[in-house]
Amino acid sequence: MFITFLKFSDNRAAAPDFMAAHNDWIAQGFADEKFLCVGSLEPAAGGAILSHGESRAALDARLAADPFVVHGIVTAETHEIDAKRAIPALDFLKAPA
């Protein structure tokens, strides 16, 4: 499982120009069943993505295609989480023992 922080850069003023494409990119991540949760970093600092089900290389390629990343609106910082405990509904996130 990965958590990615999309932090606004100095080019954040361009975000409205690419918001529709960014939202389409997010929708594709859900359609591909790779994104589990997407939300905003508060206060207005960017966004975060919880993802699962693809390699780090595949996720990095997916992130590189985000229009916000392509146009320098955000920078992506990804961390891998090796889940050891979870509520039953999230057991699929735990690595096999």
Side-chain angles (χ1 to χ4, degrees), residues 11-78:
N11 194 31
R12 77 182 288 169
D17 297 336
F18 299 98
M19 186 61 75
H22 175 68
N23 285 331
D24 290 345
W25 174 84
I26 290 171
Q28 187 63 54
F30 280 109
D32 292 342
E33 298 182 351
K34 303 305 178 193
F35 292 172
L36 301 176
C37 179
V38 171
S40 298
L41 292 176
E42 298 299 334
I49 302 167
L50 184 62
S51 60
H52 177 71
E54 65 186 341
S55 69
R56 175 64 186 259
L59 175 60
D60 287 345
R62 182 183 298 277
L63 293 167
D66 175 2
F68 273 17
V69 172
V70 170
H71 295 283
I73 296 162
V74 298
T75 58
E77 178 184 313
T78 301

